[in-house]
Amino acid sequence: MTSHRIGILGTGLIGNFYAQTLRRGRSRDEVAVVYSRTAERAREFAERFQIATWTTDLEEATSHPAIDTVVVALPNDLHLPAVKLAATAGKAVLVTKPLARTATEAREILRIVEEAGIFAGYLEDLCYTPKTLRALEYVEQGTLGDVLWVRSRETHPGPHSAWFWDPRRAGAGAIVDLGCHCIEIIRSFVGKHVRPIEALCWADTLVHPIDAEDNAVGLIRFENGALGQFEVSWTFRGGMDLRDEVAGTEGTIWLNHFLRTGFEMFTSEANSSYVAEKAEVERGWLFPVGDEIGELGYVDMFDDMFAALDAGRQPRETVYDGYIVNAIIDACLASARNHRWETINLEWRGGQSHRIERRHQNVGDLILVKQERLPDGRQKLILKDPRTGDFLDRIV
Amino acid sequence: MTSHRIGILGTGLIGNFYAQTLRRGRSRDEVAVVYSRTAERAREFAERFQIATWTTDLEEATSHPAIDTVVVALPNDLHLPAVKLAATAGKAVLVTKPLARTATEAREILRIVEEAGIFAGYLEDLCYTPKTLRALEYVEQGTLGDVLWVRSRETHPGPHSAWFWDPRRAGAGAIVDLGCHCIEIIRSFVGKHVRPIEALCWADTLVHPIDAEDNAVGLIRFENGALGQFEVSWTFRGGMDLRDEVAGTEGTIWLNHFLRTGFEMFTSEANSSYVAEKAEVERGWLFPVGDEIGELGYVDMFDDMFAALDAGRQPRETVYDGYIVNAIIDACLASARNHRWETINLEWRGGQSHRIERRHQNVGDLILVKQERLPDGRQKLILKDPRTGDFLDRIV
Amino acid sequence: MTSHRIGILGTGLIGNFYAQTLRRGRSRDEVAVVYSRTAERAREFAERFQIATWTTDLEEATSHPAIDTVVVALPNDLHLPAVKLAATAGKAVLVTKPLARTATEAREILRIVEEAGIFAGYLEDLCYTPKTLRALEYVEQGTLGDVLWVRSRETHPGPHSAWFWDPRRAGAGAIVDLGCHCIEIIRSFVGKHVRPIEALCWADTLVHPIDAEDNAVGLIRFENGALGQFEVSWTFRGGMDLRDEVAGTEGTIWLNHFLRTGFEMFTSEANSSYVAEKAEVERGWLFPVGDEIGELGYVDMFDDMFAALDAGRQPRETVYDGYIVNAIIDACLASARNHRWETINLEWRGGQSHRIERRHQNVGDLILVKQERLPDGRQKLILKDPRTGDFLDRIV
Amino acid sequence: MTSHRIGILGTGLIGNFYAQTLRRGRSRDEVAVVYSRTAERAREFAERFQIATWTTDLEEATSHPAIDTVVVALPNDLHLPAVKLAATAGKAVLVTKPLARTATEAREILRIVEEAGIFAGYLEDLCYTPKTLRALEYVEQGTLGDVLWVRSRETHPGPHSAWFWDPRRAGAGAIVDLGCHCIEIIRSFVGKHVRPIEALCWADTLVHPIDAEDNAVGLIRFENGALGQFEVSWTFRGGMDLRDEVAGTEGTIWLNHFLRTGFEMFTSEANSSYVAEKAEVERGWLFPVGDEIGELGYVDMFDDMFAALDAGRQPRETVYDGYIVNAIIDACLASARNHRWETINLEWRGGQSHRIERRHQNVGDLILVKQERLPDGRQKLILKDPRTGDFLDRIV
């Protein structure tokens, strides 16, 4: 196992989460350089995390000889220029989510890293939460049968930095900020080999004095018949609501990542300490998480990234995945604008997938639709006559 | 308080729930007549619930002198003829959900009861669950601020009688069977005075060997900007999932009516007894409800119906409400067919409602977008410059 | 079914709950008389619940010709005198919990009602919650096998009326106020035919400036080997915590009656309305119950009482049960005082019960202790050699 | 940060958990030696975890030059001899829980490591779960006020290896196996500086054909008035139940570590894969944990151990803590045998702690007992007259 020396670009909330993750535990990796646009923030960050070098020069940061890997934790409009510089310097590059503001930009990032031949990863932490990883194992081994429907929901009262609210910098509003997570979670459960075909999205600006959408619901139709559904909001009250639901032909999974994880606390004291990301209150019933960094997936994400880099394999979340997410977001934004289903335009590298198959079982000439046990122990069959289309009950 | 004598039409699952409800507790009302198409079922039902008269003649049942109220618990295609007979006989009439197969049929039922001048009610039990009634009180007194979004979900492994599966008799599949509940729950939380404008629906037949949809997701846009969202399925695994979520500008409500209500049981024994409606398993972890009749709203529903009848007022759920639900369902079915948003066509009796208002607060020349307390106790403001559209952070 | 005319003695919280229950729904029963020590409260109560007669004369109230049933909702020290008067007047009498301050007093109440030959019931609402009734059905039909252990917990921040805090009037503190519920819940799950043998109790006054205990934990040993465990507190923060847990040889039941029942609400608004009994906060995350009267068991309790009265049978909760509870409380109080296990002294009317039987299965000459499936599908047996006392693992 | 080379003694379930933990992530530490009594198990374990050296010679394992740290994951009766060898070899030594079979043995282990001057840690993983660590931070900063009561519960259907069932090797039954966790969790929340004074324990063998207790409930009184309560069982049905509850003067914490952590799954398929430790079923509703190793505290535990070793400080869980736990267990076993409260005999190194203080506030000459807001907005005071002992209500 190789050790890595990392440069972090950006000192906002996400940069902090990344630095905390990379520094913790018994890790052999180390953050060696940090970049921020302002010297004060760069210096303060370097001190907090004991980072040897800080700079306000992006090119210096990306090409610094002390590092082999660049972590891009910048606002969305700066991902493309940062990746360009890192690729030029031949560094491995890990980019925060969303990959870019648009599919076009994302495609360009994909082209750059592929042409440069550098290792690249997509830092989609919520696809790496311990619960998600475990749930995906179950799904992959067939515990749920065929996945039919996935709901992914991320809502909170709104982001914490100015640039998120400016669609020129962020690309759009809650759909880009939160939908990027939901879409990749949906893809992970449906199966990344299944092509997303079209999207329908409702979006509105209901509460905040902004132009970008603060609420949206999207539907994504996949080639095999499965449906993905995301709900995002910057106006949710009560903290950060992170839930996923998966329905399959043989089973169901419900994940709650944040507000109901088996940690419940009541306090009458104004709570001087940090409760959790986007927590709204400091008294009454609170729902902290045990280990925020761990439960949000940051630990497993970086473990996978560096293990992949060492092994010369692709990480679980690739820059190509990030590009697909941006393509779906673009279709959602177009759908919200045009008020209709929109085809998802993308360069698809996966193959084709078959339609989820309906089940058939015959009872004589009739089709068995459903079978259930009655309270008295007998079986009730619901049968369909394929010639007439009539349905009948039969107790056996 | 007057006592009532009731005739029940239909002896299926819902007829059983109604009879259990009307007979229980210290009620002063009584079921005096029951009708079924088959003599055996009518007789057996009459014995089970100690009902004096049973018949297989619908006209006899609806006009029987021993009763003042007719409860229609028949398959959807028989609601209209049954209401006609009851209206002719001048009886009060209570119709199970959905009111009819189509908005046209529902409108005809509405016309009949209004022209006959009889008392009529819409037996939408899930709008009467104790949790829903309590939650609606909170919403009505402003605890949640303006309601922005409502999710209502009803899914289970599929209905228990043959006629549900036949769209010629039922009207459609899961959208009619389960969506009727969800839509009226959504209307109740958004406010019944708010006009539903258009609907978008995805529907598919993914699992069962039938023509009707077994899965659907619908979006309903309301005049004031609120969004309703329903999810229905006949392929859900794990029991009957009945959940509602309401998001408002000042608060959130989450209701779970069935699978997680504070009653958790594990058993290694094959459980010979009834667990709950649509429960799928008899061993392992089970989630019964304490009082199914009560928690599903049947008790409060009939209390309201007879109290309204006695008081000469409208019940909470009227036949007009049932008609609105059918109109929304029709738009959803058209949307699923036509793959686009569809206008909801209806004769609207409510007035107009205003758009939910966005919030404004100024800090000097700037618009305050968000305010949050930092861990160190200082306030962080996110501000928008209305001239440039730029956003900025300010720590105060 | 007969109608009943009821006199309520007492206008405190519990009197209000009773009157609300007796008045609601389509009930054929009616509250005709109310008694309070102060005219103002009596009059106000009578107006609120539209009761024809109010009085401050206890004898007048208990013997009033307009009533056939007396409901005792008075402080604990007044139960005995009130029952005496009701018995003299020949009325049916229903007494709130606890039955009395001591087993001696309770035994006297039992004697009075038995000698008078009147119908008498013990108003232990928490043994009638819909969840408890349903859970008891499961237990009675063997879903849990033999019941080994029951935990019943009731804690809140302290009672709402002065007399509760005065041990001269109440009998003791939290043990009497809350423990009476827990003990009877425990008896219901263990089986009322199983004799309670001895009790151990820790009690302390940790927070409030009072003499009575504000915290206690008790253990009750039953003849068959089962253990009951109660936890009561007047210092709990977060609302009213009402939970029961039952462990059997074949299963487990967990009931949550109040704070987590599938109703979750967040509000940023100061909530002007009543949330729930003993709720502590009005903002943030709140956990109302849908129908407090129903979920706390009041409805099913009075239904059973009057049905029993009509049928000439004993109700589920009898005055004898109330006496047993007081006997157990007395042993707990002695145990807390004497710092040791105390025998429960009582006149036991049930029979004897056998010790819960241990399970045996032999594998050759060895005793099978446990069997579990390994991840690779093989079975692992843990075996005991009865001659040597040695244990060994065997994979089969 | 130094890297460590570790020898693991023992290849059972706990040895596996330890090896998985030490190998995972980006850790700089490495397992270099493994010992088992049988060559087959040692070899198989070494292969599974890619460990260079395996041996069946305990002395070779503890003194191997390739390692600096010995991890004792052996049955309870082998802890003392293993520690002796490791101390002689001058290795750092980390001992699994419980520290020993008795307080005498534990005291001897403490003496040995202290005299040898080696670094030693107590591998009490459940005091290191992310939830526990976070909860302890809240408690330490006063979020709950004074801690009054702690409940810790660990129950499952019984252990997986023969030696656990043999009290000669294990020390006792469920009290030693599971109670050791609960007791140290209780100490952590009450405060390790608070002396445990006496213990009361009920224990019985209700189900299994063994001599050791399979069910027990214990109470621990602390010097400051706080009460600890543990519940352990080898007969619980439904999986592994790991819950803690903490009640303080200002707040409440409820932790659920295993069966309800926001991961809920239903499957109709027999599930071929591992669900979770002690899971009992493979179909129906299952409750996996996301990351078992992480959520059970193994990761944070070893991080702390090696960080402490590097820093020359004591770890959070010391061998002295393990000794205190054994002393409390001994008192519990004596209490169960002698059927009375037993003093906890120990060499106490902490100081004295003050009694939790009761709260006082006066209103004129009266003592304020409780204050609550009435539905109409007025305040209700419950007051005590210190001269007469009378209590009165006052509305203000």
Side-chain angles (χ1 to χ4, degrees), chain A residues 189-212:
Chain A
F189 282 111
V190 168
K192 287 195 186 172
H193 61 288
V194 185
R195 183 171 186 154
I197 301 298
E198 54 178 5
L200 180 288
C201 187
W202 164 86
D204 206 341
T205 312
L206 289 169
V207 172
H208 295 297
I210 56 171
D211 296 322

Side-chain angles (χ1 to χ4, degrees), chain B residues 317-373:
Chain B
E317 291 296 319
T318 65
V319 164
Y320 172 72
D321 289 319
Y323 156 67
I324 302 289
V325 170
N326 270 121
I328 295 174
I329 288 174
D330 280 5
C332 287
L333 292 169
S335 169
R337 247 182 345 257
N338 302 330
H339 207 58
R340 67 178 183 216
W341 287 93
E342 294 281 352
T343 299
I344 296 161
N345 297 310
L346 48 74
E347 294 179 34
W348 182 245
R349 294 178 177 183
Q352 276 191 302
S353 55
H354 293 293
R355 167 96 186 166
I356 294 160
E357 228 172 319
R358 289 205 248 167
R359 297 142 165 209
H360 264 262
Q361 200 186 326
N362 286 332
V363 176
D365 292 344
L366 304 175
I367 297 167
L368 178 62
V369 175
K370 202 185 175 218
Q371 182 161 11
E372 58 187 43
R373 206 158 75 96

Side-chain angles (χ1 to χ4, degrees), chain A residues 160 198 282 339 373 380, chain B residues 160 198 282 339 373 380:
Chain A
H160 46 274
E198 54 178 5
E282 297 170 328
H339 208 57
R373 207 158 74 96
K380 178 177 184 177
Chain B
H160 47 274
E198 54 177 6
E282 298 170 328
H339 207 58
R373 206 158 75 96
K380 179 177 185 177

Side-chain angles (χ1 to χ4, degrees), chain D residues 125-355:
Chain D
D125 50 288
L126 291 184
C127 290
Y128 284 100
T129 78
K131 280 173 185 153
T132 305
L133 293 177
R134 190 82 191 88
L136 288 171
E137 278 179 50
Y138 282 115
V139 168
E140 280 152 23
Q141 74 200 17
T143 307
L144 264 60
D146 290 323
V147 169
L148 303 173
W149 171 85
V150 182
R151 175 210 196 194
S152 182
R153 173 175 174 84
E154 178 165 0
T155 66
H156 59 53
H160 47 273
S161 280
W163 70 264
F164 284 91
W165 300 84
D166 185 345
R168 298 169 300 189
R169 306 198 59 196
I175 295 175
V176 160
D177 177 28
L178 308 177
C180 67
H181 290 299
C182 300
I183 288 168
E184 188 63 353
I185 289 167
I186 289 167
R187 286 188 67 227
S188 300
F189 282 111
V190 168
K192 288 194 185 173
H193 61 288
V194 185
R195 184 172 184 151
I197 300 299
E198 54 177 5
L200 181 288
C201 187
W202 164 87
D204 206 340
T205 312
L206 289 168
V207 173
H208 296 296
I210 57 171
D211 297 323
E213 74 284 355
D214 58 16
N215 278 279
V217 176
L219 305 180
I220 304 162
R221 286 207 323 106
F222 287 86
E223 191 180 30
N224 68 350
L227 187 82
Q229 167 186 320
F230 69 79
E231 301 156 22
V232 295
S233 173
W234 281 351
T235 70
F236 178 74
R237 305 306 305 256
M240 183 157 70
D241 185 21
L242 281 180
R243 279 178 292 158
D244 305 315
E245 302 182 17
V246 186
T249 50
E250 299 300 328
T252 298
I253 283 180
W254 293 338
L255 302 182
N256 196 326
H257 298 286
F258 223 63
L259 281 174
R260 299 292 184 277
T261 64
F263 194 144
E264 308 176 70
M265 180 165 76
F266 179 90
T267 177
S268 66
E269 299 284 344
N271 202 326
S272 59
S273 80
Y274 178 81
V275 177
E277 192 188 332
K278 309 289 187 305
E280 281 202 281
V281 285
E282 296 170 329
R283 290 179 205 233
W285 280 103
L286 305 173
F287 298 88
V289 283
D291 168 17
E292 198 162 339
I293 297 283
E295 298 207 28
L296 290 181
Y298 296 110
V299 175
D300 287 298
M301 178 177 72
F302 280 113
D303 282 0
D304 177 52
M305 290 293 161
F306 290 111
L309 177 46
D310 290 351
R313 63 162 170 87
Q314 288 289 304
R316 173 179 282 270
E317 291 295 319
T318 66
V319 164
Y320 172 71
D321 289 318
Y323 157 67
I324 302 290
V325 170
N326 270 121
I328 296 173
I329 288 174
D330 280 5
C332 288
L333 292 168
S335 169
R337 246 182 346 257
N338 302 330
H339 207 58
R340 67 177 183 217
W341 286 93
E342 293 283 353
T343 299
I344 297 161
N345 297 310
L346 47 74
E347 293 179 33
W348 182 245
R349 295 179 178 183
Q352 276 191 302
S353 55
H354 293 293
R355 167 98 186 166

Side-chain angles (χ1 to χ4, degrees), chain C residues 88-286:
Chain C
T88 305
K91 309 292 189 190
V93 64
L94 310 177
V95 188
T96 194
K97 75 297 142 192
L99 184 59
R101 287 175 295 184
T102 63
T104 307
E105 243 182 29
R107 186 66 192 83
E108 177 65 2
I109 288 176
L110 178 59
R111 191 192 60 75
I112 289 167
V113 299
E114 290 186 339
E115 291 190 359
I118 55 173
F119 178 89
Y122 178 50
L123 297 177
E124 174 42 84
D125 51 287
L126 291 184
C127 290
Y128 284 100
T129 77
K131 280 173 186 154
T132 305
L133 293 177
R134 189 81 191 88
L136 288 172
E137 279 181 50
Y138 283 115
V139 169
E140 280 153 21
Q141 73 200 16
T143 306
L144 264 58
D146 291 322
V147 169
L148 304 172
W149 171 85
V150 183
R151 175 208 196 197
S152 182
R153 173 174 174 85
E154 178 165 358
T155 65
H156 60 53
H160 46 275
S161 280
W163 70 264
F164 284 91
W165 301 83
D166 185 345
R168 298 169 300 188
R169 304 199 59 196
I175 296 176
V176 160
D177 177 26
L178 308 177
C180 67
H181 290 298
C182 299
I183 289 168
E184 187 63 352
I185 290 167
I186 288 167
R187 285 189 68 227
S188 300
F189 281 111
V190 168
K192 287 194 186 173
H193 61 288
V194 185
R195 183 172 184 153
I197 301 299
E198 55 177 6
L200 181 289
C201 187
W202 163 87
D204 207 340
T205 312
L206 289 169
V207 173
H208 296 296
I210 57 171
D211 297 323
E213 74 284 356
D214 59 16
N215 279 279
V217 176
L219 306 179
I220 304 163
R221 286 207 324 106
F222 287 86
E223 190 179 31
N224 67 350
L227 187 82
Q229 168 186 320
F230 69 79
E231 300 156 24
V232 295
S233 173
W234 281 350
T235 69
F236 178 74
R237 306 306 306 255
M240 183 157 69
D241 185 21
L242 281 180
R243 279 179 292 157
D244 305 315
E245 302 182 18
V246 187
T249 50
E250 299 300 328
T252 298
I253 284 179
W254 293 338
L255 302 182
N256 197 326
H257 298 286
F258 223 64
L259 281 174
R260 298 293 184 274
T261 63
F263 193 143
E264 307 175 69
M265 180 164 76
F266 179 91
T267 177
S268 65
E269 297 284 345
N271 202 327
S272 59
S273 79
Y274 178 80
V275 177
E277 192 188 332
K278 310 285 188 308
E280 281 202 281
V281 283
E282 297 169 328
R283 291 180 204 232
W285 281 103
L286 304 174

Side-chain angles (χ1 to χ4, degrees), chain B residues 56-120:
Chain B
T56 59
D57 180 330
L58 192 59
E59 191 164 353
E60 186 195 338
T62 48
S63 62
H64 199 289
I67 65 169
D68 58 80
T69 303
V70 169
V71 169
V72 181
L74 297 165
N76 300 352
D77 53 334
L78 301 176
H79 293 189
L80 177 54
V83 170
K84 263 185 199 156
L85 287 168
T88 304
K91 310 291 189 190
V93 64
L94 310 178
V95 188
T96 194
K97 76 296 142 194
L99 185 60
R101 289 175 295 184
T102 63
T104 307
E105 245 181 29
R107 186 65 192 82
E108 177 65 4
I109 288 175
L110 178 60
R111 190 193 59 74
I112 289 167
V113 300
E114 290 186 339
E115 290 190 0
I118 55 174
F119 179 88

